[in-house]
Amino acid sequence: MDLKGKIAVITGSNSGIGLGVAEELARVGADLVINSFTDREEDHALARELADRHGVVVRYIAADMSKPEACRGLIEKAGACDILVNNAGIQYVAGIEEFPTDKWNAILAINLSSAFHTTAIALPMMRAKGWGRVINIASAHGLTASPYKSAYVAAKHGIVGLSKVTALECAGQGITCNAICPGYVLTPLVEAQIPDQMKKHDMDRETVIREVMLERQPSRQFATVEQIGGTAVYLCSDAAAQVTGTTISVDGGWTAL
Ligand code: NAD
């Protein structure tokens, strides 16, 4: 597997799954554009570290994925995009009646609409080269639901639909689009949910992870960022050239239940 000469743009990649995907794509030679909404020295330092570790070119471009123009600007500033990984995402948990409108709007904008905007700018670049990969990081919540996650579940089901439409519009052009659907992966996004769950269930950390958070994940093990990154590498391979418009679950059996 060799992605030398390919440029991968990964949204929301200074942490968690996005960083794991960046790491695995760089390991097989892809040059990278990594991103978040912050513009700190440590973000640019992270890009230098990745470049040194893997001998590839890595740029950090700050862009807020809640803003349509910034999403489009990210791909324009990248200048080229052979592999687009739409990964930026946030979570908020509340019942529908209490769900704040600003949180609903932010989740829909970052977890769903950003992928529409980046894809719209990236596709002509891919078509010009006759090769491209769009990889949307959805979730087991793109295929199933949980209470209190209305915006997240709606956005993730939405991105599964967007992946299918993108695949159809690119069919036969050397460009594929798929959604990876992870179950629980221990990242800062999930780490932030643990204290609330401990309080709510009056359980210690280990028990709440095993009995509550991983209750629907039959393996009772978190998926890892390396496994999600490896799945992205597979989708970039020739073996996956006819894999398009579908979902790949990396969820320890969650959606088999
Ligand atoms: P994380 O919080 O570690 O990472 C989220 C990334 O998105 C960070 O780099 C953050 O800076 C970035 N981000 C947030 N808001 C942004 C904005 N407005 N503009 C640009 N970047 C922004 O979380 P994670 O768990 O790595 O999540 C990454 C993706 O994976 C999300 O789409 C999430 O829904 C999905 N996912 C996560 C899990 C899990 O268990 N961790 C499971 C299924 C799906």
Side-chain angles (χ1 to χ4, degrees), residues 12-17 35-37 63-66 87-90 110 137-139 152 156 182-185 187-190:
S13 44
N14 66 350
S15 143
I17 290 173
N35 152 268
S36 183
F37 58 93
D64 183 346
M65 293 296 104
S66 69
N87 167 79
I90 58 169
I110 296 168
I137 306 299
S139 166
Y152 190 84
K156 294 300 185 180
Y184 270 113
V185 185
T187 64
L189 181 141
V190 168

Side-chain angles (χ1 to χ4, degrees), residues 47-149:
R48 289 194 294 273
E49 274 167 42
L50 279 167
D52 289 348
R53 197 154 53 244
H54 299 290
V56 296
V57 178
V58 184
R59 282 186 292 155
Y60 177 84
I61 301 179
D64 183 346
M65 293 296 104
S66 69
K67 301 197 164 68
E69 289 318 314
C71 299
R72 289 169 182 265
L74 170 65
I75 307 299
E76 282 159 2
K77 284 182 197 151
C81 180
D82 304 300
I83 300 162
L84 171 62
V85 183
N86 289 303
N87 167 79
I90 58 169
Q91 174 65 286
Y92 189 85
V93 179
I96 290 172
E97 307 94 299
E98 294 87 41
F99 211 95
T101 301
D102 63 331
K103 296 287 185 202
W104 170 273
N105 288 339
I107 291 177
L108 269 286
I110 296 168
N111 298 21
L112 175 59
S113 300
S114 69
F116 161 71
H117 296 297
T118 54
T119 302
I121 304 300
L123 285 186
M125 297 176 176
M126 295 178 183
R127 285 202 175 101
K129 293 192 185 174
W131 192 93
R133 295 288 186 265
V134 181
I135 300 170
N136 293 324
I137 306 299
S139 166
H141 281 119
L143 304 167
T144 63
S146 295
Y148 314 115
K149 295 186 176 175

Side-chain angles (χ1 to χ4, degrees), residues 82-87 112 115-116 118-120 122-123 126-127 131-138 156-181 231-232 234-237 240-248:
D82 304 300
I83 300 162
L84 171 62
V85 183
N86 289 303
N87 167 79
L112 175 59
F116 161 71
T118 54
T119 302
L123 285 186
M126 295 178 183
R127 285 202 175 101
W131 192 93
R133 295 288 186 265
V134 181
I135 300 170
N136 293 324
I137 306 299
K156 294 300 185 180
H157 275 68
I159 204 159
V160 168
L162 176 66
S163 305
K164 294 179 185 176
V165 174
T166 305
L168 293 179
E169 292 189 13
C170 297
Q173 298 167 26
I175 301 165
T176 67
C177 177
N178 295 285
I180 298 177
C181 295
T231 307
Y234 160 69
L235 286 172
C236 293
S237 72
Q242 291 300 318
V243 177
T244 194
T246 193
T247 57
I248 300 189

Side-chain angles (χ1 to χ4, degrees), residues 146 149 184 193-194 196-198 200-217 220 222 254:
S146 295
K149 295 186 176 175
Y184 270 113
Q193 298 174 40
I194 296 176
D196 269 1
Q197 293 290 328
M198 285 169 64
K200 186 169 161 207
H201 297 278
D202 192 24
M203 287 176 177
D204 64 29
R205 181 184 162 88
E206 293 316 311
T207 313
V208 90
I209 287 174
R210 195 179 59 251
E211 302 299 328
V212 178
M213 302 189 71
L214 294 180
E215 195 240 333
R216 291 174 72 182
Q217 199 146 309
R220 300 279 169 143
F222 285 113
W254 178 333

